[in-house]
Amino acid sequence: MTAGLGLGRLVPGLGDALAKVTVTSVSLPIALGLLVMMYPVLAKVRYDRLGTVTRDQRLLIPSLVLNWIVGPALMFALAWIFLPDLPEYRTGLIIVGLARCIAMVIVWNDLACGDREAAAVLVALNSVFQVLAFSLLGWFYLSVLPGWIGLEQTALDVSIWEIARSVLIFLGIPLLAGFLTRRLGEKAKGRTWYETKLIPRIGPFALYGLLFTIVVLFALQGDAITSQPLDVARIALPLLVYFALMWAGSMAVGRAVGLDYPKATTLAFTAAGNNFELAIAVAIATFGATSGQALAGVVGPLIEVPVLIGLVYVALAARRFFPQTTPATGPVISPEGSARV
């Protein structure tokens, strides 16, 4: 983050140059970073286990409720509570709340030892719902609901194709690549070779892609962030509350419905994370690149990244509050966090 801010401030024109490198209005550097980040994690997924995840109603139902009812409603409420006098920033935050996770959450989940297969299923479901429901929810939360309760109304005009394009780029490409890598790799060399030889080689690229994406994000907006610190702080406050409430509440729901630690962790991170690529793209396309809505969209991931990295450590510390399970193979994790084979 420091490197990105420094580059954005010290290298003249870097942010503008990065912003101009686009493919169909999608930032190419950010897209490449995200694809490199997500591919290794999706290559680790055991796709033959997905059927058991989809049958787990204790996971699927809470996830859909938290993502598509609780999350947007909470962000709407926080935006109006904290930013009643700043309509542009408020609208930008509401758009962030409508864009549910499909990208970085896969890495947060993996770092926190969540259920990889469950994360793949929930992210795929969020992607489908995003294409179908984003425009409708935007119309409801920005035009209909404020009118019902006597608040200021805002219009949001975004096509289904814009949403579908984001989903196809940021999820479809790495998902297909990960699936084909596992399918062809296991077929050619066997599962043992795939798990013990190939995965350790490609695994580190997830973190390389994550670090690259963070540097590019901060470099793109370094000037705006450092020149408007008070505005950024006001936008950041409701975001901090949102991430904390969504993550902690989802973790508690997972524990209450009887999920084990990996699935409860997956539930929490997929509910707390947001699809900032889509939120920024929609804000820029609808209100302009220099609008307050776009700035609010950009501040979203800049707050989400450090907060959710911190929550990875909180999740790992919370393992002791969940029933301990002993897998058939692999490490056994004690309540204190130590591992033995």
Side-chain angles (χ1 to χ4, degrees):
M1 291 186 290
T2 302
L5 285 174
L7 287 171
R9 291 287 292 179
L10 299 176
V11 180
L14 177 63
D16 292 336
L18 290 173
K20 290 178 181 177
V21 184
T22 61
V23 177
T24 64
S25 75
V26 176
S27 171
L28 185 59
I30 291 178
L32 289 175
L34 288 170
L35 294 177
V36 172
M37 176 188 75
M38 293 174 65
Y39 163 67
V41 180
L42 290 170
K44 295 177 184 178
V45 170
R46 286 283 302 274
Y47 292 94
D48 55 336
R49 293 179 178 172
L50 296 183
T52 60
V53 176
T54 58
R55 291 191 293 269
D56 190 348
Q57 301 301 307
R58 292 181 303 169
L59 176 64
L60 291 181
I61 293 176
S63 176
L64 292 176
V65 171
L66 288 166
N67 270 287
W68 296 102
I69 297 178
V70 177
L74 177 61
M75 188 69 89
F76 175 86
L78 292 173
W80 274 99
I81 291 170
F82 285 94
L83 303 171
D85 57 329
L86 297 171
E88 289 190 0
Y89 297 155
R90 186 176 64 238
T91 298
L93 282 185
I94 293 172
I95 293 173
V96 171
L98 299 178
R100 310 312 300 169
C101 67
I102 67 167
M104 280 192 177
V105 67
I106 294 176
V107 177
W108 310 141
N109 179 74
D110 214 46
L111 292 173
C113 301
D115 189 310
R116 208 171 278 145
E117 287 71 38
V121 169
L122 297 184
V123 164
L125 280 176
N126 277 344
S127 301
V128 173
F129 273 83
Q130 203 141 239
V131 173
L132 298 175
F134 185 92
S135 296
L136 179 62
L137 287 173
W139 169 75
F140 176 76
Y141 279 104
L142 293 174
S143 299
V144 177
L145 183 58
W148 286 355
I149 56 181
L151 301 174
E152 180 182 346
Q153 295 175 307
T154 306
L156 179 63
D157 182 21
V158 56
S159 70
I160 291 178
W161 166 240
E162 289 180 82
I163 303 164
R165 181 181 61 195
S166 174
V167 171
L168 288 172
I169 292 174
F170 295 114
L171 177 64
I173 293 174
L175 182 61
L176 178 62
F179 173 78
L180 291 176
T181 300
R182 177 171 280 278
R183 185 73 178 268
L184 298 176
E186 289 187 354
K187 185 176 181 180
K189 296 281 191 174
R191 179 164 294 173
T192 301
W193 173 87
Y194 186 87
E195 298 283 355
T196 61
K197 300 294 184 181
L198 182 61
I199 289 299
R201 291 178 184 174
I202 66 176
F205 284 93
L207 291 179
Y208 303 156
L210 173 63
L211 292 172
F212 174 80
T213 303
I214 293 172
V215 171
V216 171
L217 275 171
F218 277 78
L220 275 168
Q221 297 296 328
D223 186 63
I225 293 167
T226 54
S227 62
Q228 303 178 63
L230 293 180
D231 287 354
V232 170
R234 288 203 61 182
I235 297 169
L237 187 56
L239 284 168
L240 287 169
V241 176
Y242 172 83
F243 292 132
L245 290 178
M246 283 298 295
W247 187 89
S250 301
M251 201 74 166
V253 168
R255 182 69 177 86
V257 300
L259 295 178
D260 59 13
Y261 169 80
K263 287 186 177 179
T265 299
T266 298
L267 178 67
F269 279 102
T270 52
N274 292 90
N275 182 1
F276 63 83
E277 308 88 5
L278 175 61
I280 294 171
V282 168
I284 291 175
T286 307
F287 302 102
T290 60
S291 65
Q293 291 90 340
L295 178 61
V298 169
V299 173
L302 304 185
I303 301 301
E304 177 178 342
V305 167
V307 169
L308 292 190
I309 287 176
L311 289 174
V312 166
Y313 289 92
V314 177
L316 292 171
R319 282 183 296 188
R320 67 191 65 198
F321 301 110
F322 288 81
Q324 301 300 304
T325 58
T326 304
T329 59
V332 177
I333 305 299
S334 73
E336 289 75 26
S338 60
R340 59 184 174 84
V341 176

Short mmCIF file of all heavy atoms in Angstrom, two decimals, residues 281-332:
data_model
loop_
_atom_site.label_atom_id
_atom_site.label_comp_id
_atom_site.label_asym_id
_atom_site.label_seq_id
_atom_site.Cartn_x
_atom_site.Cartn_y
_atom_site.Cartn_z
N ALA A 281 -16.34 0.10 -11.79
CA ALA A 281 -16.71 0.20 -13.20
C ALA A 281 -18.09 0.83 -13.37
O ALA A 281 -18.29 1.69 -14.24
CB ALA A 281 -16.68 -1.18 -13.86
N VAL A 282 -19.05 0.43 -12.55
CA VAL A 282 -20.41 0.98 -12.63
C VAL A 282 -20.41 2.45 -12.24
O VAL A 282 -21.05 3.29 -12.91
CB VAL A 282 -21.37 0.18 -11.72
CG1 VAL A 282 -22.70 0.91 -11.56
CG2 VAL A 282 -21.59 -1.21 -12.29
N ALA A 283 -19.68 2.81 -11.18
CA ALA A 283 -19.65 4.21 -10.74
C ALA A 283 -19.03 5.11 -11.81
O ALA A 283 -19.54 6.21 -12.08
CB ALA A 283 -18.86 4.31 -9.43
N ILE A 284 -17.95 4.65 -12.43
CA ILE A 284 -17.30 5.46 -13.46
C ILE A 284 -18.18 5.57 -14.69
O ILE A 284 -18.35 6.64 -15.26
CB ILE A 284 -15.93 4.84 -13.82
CG1 ILE A 284 -14.95 5.01 -12.65
CG2 ILE A 284 -15.37 5.50 -15.08
CD1 ILE A 284 -13.61 4.34 -12.87
N ALA A 285 -18.77 4.44 -15.12
CA ALA A 285 -19.61 4.45 -16.32
C ALA A 285 -20.85 5.31 -16.13
O ALA A 285 -21.32 5.96 -17.07
CB ALA A 285 -20.00 3.02 -16.69
N THR A 286 -21.41 5.32 -14.92
CA THR A 286 -22.66 6.03 -14.68
C THR A 286 -22.46 7.49 -14.29
O THR A 286 -23.20 8.38 -14.76
CB THR A 286 -23.46 5.32 -13.56
OG1 THR A 286 -23.61 3.94 -13.89
CG2 THR A 286 -24.84 5.95 -13.41
N PHE A 287 -21.45 7.76 -13.46
CA PHE A 287 -21.30 9.11 -12.91
C PHE A 287 -20.02 9.82 -13.33
O PHE A 287 -19.85 11.00 -13.04
CB PHE A 287 -21.37 9.06 -11.38
CG PHE A 287 -22.63 8.45 -10.85
CD1 PHE A 287 -22.65 7.14 -10.38
CD2 PHE A 287 -23.81 9.17 -10.83
CE1 PHE A 287 -23.82 6.57 -9.89
CE2 PHE A 287 -24.98 8.62 -10.35
CZ PHE A 287 -25.00 7.31 -9.88
N GLY A 288 -19.08 9.10 -13.96
CA GLY A 288 -17.83 9.72 -14.40
C GLY A 288 -16.64 9.35 -13.53
O GLY A 288 -16.79 9.06 -12.34
N ALA A 289 -15.45 9.39 -14.14
CA ALA A 289 -14.24 8.96 -13.44
C ALA A 289 -13.85 9.88 -12.29
O ALA A 289 -13.18 9.46 -11.35
CB ALA A 289 -13.08 8.84 -14.43
N THR A 290 -14.23 11.16 -12.38
CA THR A 290 -13.85 12.12 -11.33
C THR A 290 -14.97 12.36 -10.32
O THR A 290 -14.86 13.26 -9.49
CB THR A 290 -13.44 13.46 -11.97
OG1 THR A 290 -14.56 13.98 -12.72
CG2 THR A 290 -12.26 13.28 -12.89
N SER A 291 -16.03 11.57 -10.38
CA SER A 291 -17.18 11.77 -9.50
C SER A 291 -16.91 11.29 -8.09
O SER A 291 -16.00 10.49 -7.84
CB SER A 291 -18.40 11.03 -10.07
OG SER A 291 -18.17 9.63 -10.04
N GLY A 292 -17.72 11.80 -7.16
CA GLY A 292 -17.63 11.32 -5.78
C GLY A 292 -18.01 9.86 -5.67
O GLY A 292 -17.46 9.13 -4.83
N GLN A 293 -18.92 9.41 -6.52
CA GLN A 293 -19.31 8.00 -6.51
C GLN A 293 -18.12 7.10 -6.85
O GLN A 293 -17.92 6.05 -6.24
CB GLN A 293 -20.44 7.75 -7.52
CG GLN A 293 -21.77 8.37 -7.12
CD GLN A 293 -21.93 9.79 -7.64
OE1 GLN A 293 -20.96 10.45 -7.97
NE2 GLN A 293 -23.17 10.25 -7.71
N ALA A 294 -17.32 7.54 -7.86
CA ALA A 294 -16.15 6.76 -8.24
C ALA A 294 -15.11 6.74 -7.12
O ALA A 294 -14.49 5.70 -6.85
CB ALA A 294 -15.53 7.33 -9.52
N LEU A 295 -14.91 7.89 -6.45
CA LEU A 295 -13.96 7.92 -5.33
C LEU A 295 -14.39 6.98 -4.22
O LEU A 295 -13.57 6.25 -3.65
CB LEU A 295 -13.82 9.34 -4.80
CG LEU A 295 -12.88 9.51 -3.59
CD1 LEU A 295 -11.47 9.08 -3.94
CD2 LEU A 295 -12.90 10.95 -3.09
N ALA A 296 -15.68 6.97 -3.91
CA ALA A 296 -16.18 6.06 -2.87
C ALA A 296 -15.96 4.61 -3.28
O ALA A 296 -15.59 3.77 -2.44
CB ALA A 296 -17.67 6.32 -2.63
N GLY A 297 -16.15 4.31 -4.56
CA GLY A 297 -15.90 2.95 -5.03
C GLY A 297 -14.45 2.55 -4.88
O GLY A 297 -14.13 1.42 -4.52
N VAL A 298 -13.54 3.51 -5.14
CA VAL A 298 -12.11 3.22 -5.04
C VAL A 298 -11.69 3.05 -3.58
O VAL A 298 -10.86 2.19 -3.25
CB VAL A 298 -11.30 4.36 -5.71
CG1 VAL A 298 -9.82 4.23 -5.37
CG2 VAL A 298 -11.50 4.31 -7.21
N VAL A 299 -12.23 3.87 -2.70
CA VAL A 299 -11.88 3.75 -1.28
C VAL A 299 -12.31 2.39 -0.73
O VAL A 299 -11.66 1.85 0.18
CB VAL A 299 -12.53 4.90 -0.47
CG1 VAL A 299 -12.32 4.69 1.04
CG2 VAL A 299 -11.93 6.24 -0.88
N GLY A 300 -13.37 1.81 -1.31
CA GLY A 300 -13.85 0.51 -0.84
C GLY A 300 -12.77 -0.54 -0.73
O GLY A 300 -12.49 -1.05 0.36
N PRO A 301 -12.09 -0.89 -1.85
CA PRO A 301 -11.04 -1.91 -1.74
C PRO A 301 -9.84 -1.47 -0.94
O PRO A 301 -9.14 -2.29 -0.35
CB PRO A 301 -10.66 -2.17 -3.21
CG PRO A 301 -11.08 -0.94 -3.93
CD PRO A 301 -12.33 -0.49 -3.24
N LEU A 302 -9.58 -0.15 -0.91
CA LEU A 302 -8.43 0.32 -0.15
C LEU A 302 -8.64 0.13 1.36
O LEU A 302 -7.68 0.00 2.11
CB LEU A 302 -8.17 1.80 -0.46
CG LEU A 302 -7.97 2.13 -1.94
CD1 LEU A 302 -7.59 3.59 -2.12
CD2 LEU A 302 -6.91 1.23 -2.55
N ILE A 303 -9.89 0.10 1.78
CA ILE A 303 -10.20 -0.21 3.18
C ILE A 303 -10.36 -1.72 3.34
O ILE A 303 -9.90 -2.32 4.32
CB ILE A 303 -11.49 0.51 3.63
CG1 ILE A 303 -11.32 2.03 3.47
CG2 ILE A 303 -11.82 0.17 5.07
CD1 ILE A 303 -10.19 2.62 4.25
N GLU A 304 -11.00 -2.36 2.37
CA GLU A 304 -11.27 -3.79 2.46
C GLU A 304 -10.00 -4.62 2.54
O GLU A 304 -9.91 -5.57 3.32
CB GLU A 304 -12.08 -4.23 1.24
CG GLU A 304 -12.37 -5.73 1.21
CD GLU A 304 -13.22 -6.13 0.03
OE1 GLU A 304 -13.87 -5.26 -0.57
OE2 GLU A 304 -13.24 -7.32 -0.30
N VAL A 305 -8.98 -4.25 1.75
CA VAL A 305 -7.76 -5.06 1.71
C VAL A 305 -7.10 -5.18 3.09
O VAL A 305 -6.91 -6.30 3.59
CB VAL A 305 -6.77 -4.51 0.66
CG1 VAL A 305 -5.40 -5.14 0.82
CG2 VAL A 305 -7.30 -4.76 -0.75
N PRO A 306 -6.73 -4.08 3.76
CA PRO A 306 -6.08 -4.25 5.07
C PRO A 306 -7.02 -4.82 6.13
O PRO A 306 -6.57 -5.58 6.99
CB PRO A 306 -5.63 -2.83 5.43
CG PRO A 306 -6.48 -1.92 4.62
CD PRO A 306 -6.77 -2.65 3.35
N VAL A 307 -8.31 -4.44 6.08
CA VAL A 307 -9.24 -4.94 7.10
C VAL A 307 -9.41 -6.45 6.98
O VAL A 307 -9.35 -7.18 7.98
CB VAL A 307 -10.61 -4.23 6.98
CG1 VAL A 307 -11.65 -4.93 7.85
CG2 VAL A 307 -10.48 -2.78 7.41
N LEU A 308 -9.62 -6.96 5.77
CA LEU A 308 -9.85 -8.40 5.63
C LEU A 308 -8.56 -9.20 5.82
O LEU A 308 -8.60 -10.34 6.27
CB LEU A 308 -10.48 -8.71 4.27
CG LEU A 308 -11.92 -8.20 4.12
CD1 LEU A 308 -12.56 -8.76 2.86
CD2 LEU A 308 -12.77 -8.55 5.32
N ILE A 309 -7.41 -8.60 5.52
CA ILE A 309 -6.15 -9.27 5.87
C ILE A 309 -6.06 -9.41 7.39
O ILE A 309 -5.68 -10.46 7.92
CB ILE A 309 -4.94 -8.48 5.33
CG1 ILE A 309 -4.84 -8.65 3.81
CG2 ILE A 309 -3.64 -8.96 5.99
CD1 ILE A 309 -3.73 -7.84 3.18
N GLY A 310 -6.44 -8.35 8.11
CA GLY A 310 -6.46 -8.43 9.57
C GLY A 310 -7.44 -9.47 10.06
O GLY A 310 -7.16 -10.21 11.02
N LEU A 311 -8.60 -9.57 9.40
CA LEU A 311 -9.60 -10.54 9.82
C LEU A 311 -9.17 -11.98 9.54
O LEU A 311 -9.68 -12.91 10.16
CB LEU A 311 -10.93 -10.25 9.12
CG LEU A 311 -11.65 -8.99 9.62
CD1 LEU A 311 -12.89 -8.70 8.77
CD2 LEU A 311 -12.05 -9.13 11.09
N VAL A 312 -8.22 -12.17 8.63
CA VAL A 312 -7.65 -13.51 8.43
C VAL A 312 -7.03 -13.99 9.74
O VAL A 312 -7.23 -15.13 10.18
CB VAL A 312 -6.60 -13.50 7.30
CG1 VAL A 312 -5.77 -14.78 7.32
CG2 VAL A 312 -7.28 -13.34 5.94
N TYR A 313 -6.29 -13.10 10.39
CA TYR A 313 -5.65 -13.46 11.66
C TYR A 313 -6.68 -13.65 12.77
O TYR A 313 -6.53 -14.52 13.64
CB TYR A 313 -4.62 -12.39 12.05
CG TYR A 313 -3.40 -12.40 11.17
CD1 TYR A 313 -3.32 -11.59 10.05
CD2 TYR A 313 -2.33 -13.24 11.45
CE1 TYR A 313 -2.21 -11.61 9.23
CE2 TYR A 313 -1.21 -13.27 10.65
CZ TYR A 313 -1.15 -12.46 9.53
OH TYR A 313 -0.05 -12.49 8.73
N VAL A 314 -7.72 -12.83 12.76
CA VAL A 314 -8.79 -13.01 13.75
C VAL A 314 -9.46 -14.35 13.55
O VAL A 314 -9.76 -15.07 14.53
CB VAL A 314 -9.83 -11.87 13.62
CG1 VAL A 314 -10.98 -12.09 14.60
CG2 VAL A 314 -9.18 -10.52 13.88
N ALA A 315 -9.70 -14.72 12.30
CA ALA A 315 -10.33 -16.02 12.01
C ALA A 315 -9.46 -17.16 12.51
O ALA A 315 -9.95 -18.11 13.16
CB ALA A 315 -10.58 -16.15 10.51
N LEU A 316 -8.17 -17.11 12.23
CA LEU A 316 -7.28 -18.18 12.67
C LEU A 316 -7.25 -18.29 14.19
O LEU A 316 -7.19 -19.40 14.75
CB LEU A 316 -5.87 -17.93 12.12
CG LEU A 316 -5.71 -18.06 10.60
CD1 LEU A 316 -4.33 -17.58 10.16
CD2 LEU A 316 -5.95 -19.49 10.15
N ALA A 317 -7.32 -17.15 14.86
CA ALA A 317 -7.35 -17.17 16.33
C ALA A 317 -8.68 -17.72 16.85
O ALA A 317 -8.74 -18.26 17.97
CB ALA A 317 -7.12 -15.77 16.87
N ALA A 318 -9.75 -17.59 16.06
CA ALA A 318 -11.08 -18.04 16.50
C ALA A 318 -11.32 -19.53 16.29
O ALA A 318 -12.37 -20.05 16.65
CB ALA A 318 -12.16 -17.25 15.75
N ARG A 319 -10.34 -20.24 15.72
CA ARG A 319 -10.53 -21.67 15.48
C ARG A 319 -10.84 -22.44 16.76
O ARG A 319 -11.57 -23.43 16.74
CB ARG A 319 -9.27 -22.27 14.84
CG ARG A 319 -9.14 -21.97 13.36
CD ARG A 319 -7.92 -22.63 12.76
NE ARG A 319 -6.68 -22.12 13.33
CZ ARG A 319 -5.47 -22.43 12.87
NH1 ARG A 319 -5.36 -23.25 11.84
NH2 ARG A 319 -4.39 -21.93 13.40
N ARG A 320 -10.31 -21.98 17.87
CA ARG A 320 -10.49 -22.72 19.13
C ARG A 320 -11.94 -22.73 19.59
O ARG A 320 -12.31 -23.53 20.44
CB ARG A 320 -9.60 -22.11 20.21
CG ARG A 320 -10.01 -20.69 20.63
CD ARG A 320 -8.93 -20.07 21.49
NE ARG A 320 -7.71 -19.88 20.71
CZ ARG A 320 -6.52 -19.69 21.25
NH1 ARG A 320 -6.38 -19.66 22.57
NH2 ARG A 320 -5.44 -19.51 20.49
N PHE A 321 -12.77 -21.84 19.05
CA PHE A 321 -14.17 -21.78 19.45
C PHE A 321 -15.07 -22.68 18.61
O PHE A 321 -16.28 -22.71 18.81
CB PHE A 321 -14.69 -20.34 19.37
CG PHE A 321 -13.92 -19.38 20.25
CD1 PHE A 321 -13.09 -18.42 19.69
CD2 PHE A 321 -14.01 -19.46 21.63
CE1 PHE A 321 -12.37 -17.54 20.49
CE2 PHE A 321 -13.31 -18.59 22.45
CZ PHE A 321 -12.49 -17.64 21.88
N PHE A 322 -14.47 -23.41 17.68
CA PHE A 322 -15.23 -24.32 16.82
C PHE A 322 -14.84 -25.76 17.13
O PHE A 322 -13.71 -26.03 17.55
CB PHE A 322 -14.95 -24.01 15.34
CG PHE A 322 -15.58 -22.74 14.86
CD1 PHE A 322 -14.98 -21.51 15.10
CD2 PHE A 322 -16.78 -22.77 14.17
CE1 PHE A 322 -15.56 -20.33 14.66
CE2 PHE A 322 -17.37 -21.60 13.72
CZ PHE A 322 -16.76 -20.38 13.97
N PRO A 323 -15.77 -26.69 16.91
CA PRO A 323 -15.44 -28.10 17.11
C PRO A 323 -14.27 -28.49 16.22
O PRO A 323 -14.23 -28.14 15.04
CB PRO A 323 -16.73 -28.84 16.69
CG PRO A 323 -17.81 -27.81 16.79
CD PRO A 323 -17.17 -26.50 16.48
N GLN A 324 -13.32 -29.22 16.79
CA GLN A 324 -12.14 -29.63 16.03
C GLN A 324 -12.44 -30.92 15.29
O GLN A 324 -12.95 -31.88 15.85
CB GLN A 324 -10.94 -29.83 16.97
CG GLN A 324 -10.57 -28.58 17.75
CD GLN A 324 -10.19 -27.43 16.83
OE1 GLN A 324 -9.30 -27.57 16.01
NE2 GLN A 324 -10.87 -26.31 16.97
N THR A 325 -12.10 -30.94 14.00
CA THR A 325 -12.31 -32.13 13.19
C THR A 325 -10.97 -32.67 12.74
O THR A 325 -10.04 -31.91 12.48
CB THR A 325 -13.16 -31.81 11.95
OG1 THR A 325 -12.50 -30.78 11.20
CG2 THR A 325 -14.55 -31.33 12.35
N THR A 326 -10.86 -33.97 12.67
CA THR A 326 -9.63 -34.62 12.23
C THR A 326 -9.82 -35.13 10.83
O THR A 326 -10.60 -36.07 10.60
CB THR A 326 -9.26 -35.80 13.15
OG1 THR A 326 -9.16 -35.32 14.49
CG2 THR A 326 -7.95 -36.42 12.72
N PRO A 327 -9.14 -34.56 9.80
CA PRO A 327 -9.30 -35.02 8.44
C PRO A 327 -8.69 -36.40 8.25
O PRO A 327 -7.86 -36.85 9.02
CB PRO A 327 -8.55 -33.97 7.62
CG PRO A 327 -7.56 -33.39 8.58
CD PRO A 327 -8.19 -33.46 9.93
N ALA A 328 -9.11 -37.07 7.18
CA ALA A 328 -8.61 -38.41 6.91
C ALA A 328 -7.11 -38.38 6.61
O ALA A 328 -6.38 -39.29 6.95
CB ALA A 328 -9.36 -39.01 5.72
N THR A 329 -6.64 -37.34 5.93
CA THR A 329 -5.23 -37.19 5.65
C THR A 329 -4.86 -35.73 5.87
O THR A 329 -5.71 -34.86 5.89
CB THR A 329 -4.90 -37.56 4.19
OG1 THR A 329 -5.67 -36.72 3.33
CG2 THR A 329 -5.23 -39.01 3.90
N GLY A 330 -3.55 -35.48 6.01
CA GLY A 330 -3.12 -34.09 6.14
C GLY A 330 -2.91 -33.71 7.58
O GLY A 330 -2.94 -34.56 8.49
N PRO A 331 -2.67 -32.45 7.84
CA PRO A 331 -2.34 -32.00 9.19
C PRO A 331 -3.54 -32.00 10.11
O PRO A 331 -4.67 -31.79 9.69
CB PRO A 331 -1.82 -30.58 8.96
CG PRO A 331 -2.52 -30.14 7.72
CD PRO A 331 -2.67 -31.35 6.86
N VAL A 332 -3.30 -32.23 11.38
CA VAL A 332 -4.30 -32.10 12.42
C VAL A 332 -4.03 -30.79 13.15
O VAL A 332 -2.94 -30.58 13.67
CB VAL A 332 -4.24 -33.28 13.40
CG1 VAL A 332 -5.26 -33.09 14.52
CG2 VAL A 332 -4.50 -34.59 12.68
#
